[in-house]
Amino acid sequence: MEDRIKAIAQARLINAIEHDELLSAWRHLSEVKTRLFLLGYPDDVVPENPDRLNRLAKIAGLRDGNEYLRRHEHVIEAVRSIYNEGLERLKVEA
């Protein structure tokens, strides 16, 4: 995936900031999936249960589940923004 993101940047389909954001997001989401798996949770959904969310936050080195959700939501929004801006640049409607 890192090579694909780099190739998209080299083709100038995304800028350097978007490249860095996408790499950071990919790494974050890969870590989330791995941590969910290791905790025995379904690896495709961040838990809503406060105890589970706090456990996830603790192993991620964060204070609590709320901090974890803020970080996770920031990553999701950054990717969504890049996606929407990319569609706009291509003049495609979502």
Side-chain angles (χ1 to χ4, degrees):
M1 184 58 97
E2 290 186 26
D3 290 340
R4 290 179 182 169
I5 294 169
K6 184 178 179 181
I8 291 169
Q10 287 176 337
R12 298 184 185 259
L13 297 172
I14 58 173
N15 62 43
I17 293 170
E18 292 169 330
H19 169 269
D20 293 347
E21 283 284 338
L22 289 175
L23 277 179
S24 177
W26 179 75
R27 290 176 183 139
H28 167 77
L29 294 171
S30 295
E31 288 175 2
V32 169
K33 188 171 182 146
T34 299
R35 288 178 175 141
L36 289 171
F37 172 78
L38 292 172
L39 288 169
Y41 306 155
D43 66 2
D44 58 346
V45 177
V46 173
E48 293 180 6
N49 177 294
D51 292 333
R52 287 183 172 195
L53 196 52
N54 284 332
R55 278 185 74 196
L56 186 58
K58 184 176 180 177
I59 66 169
L62 300 173
R63 185 178 56 241
D64 59 24
N66 289 328
E67 184 178 358
Y68 189 87
L69 284 177
R70 279 191 299 276
R71 163 82 171 111
H72 186 69
E73 191 60 33
H74 172 77
V75 170
I76 299 297
E77 287 301 318
V79 172
R80 184 176 289 124
S81 176
I82 292 168
Y83 172 78
N84 288 331
E85 289 170 12
L87 289 179
E88 183 64 31
R89 282 193 297 258
L90 295 171
K91 305 286 189 228
V92 176
E93 293 198 25

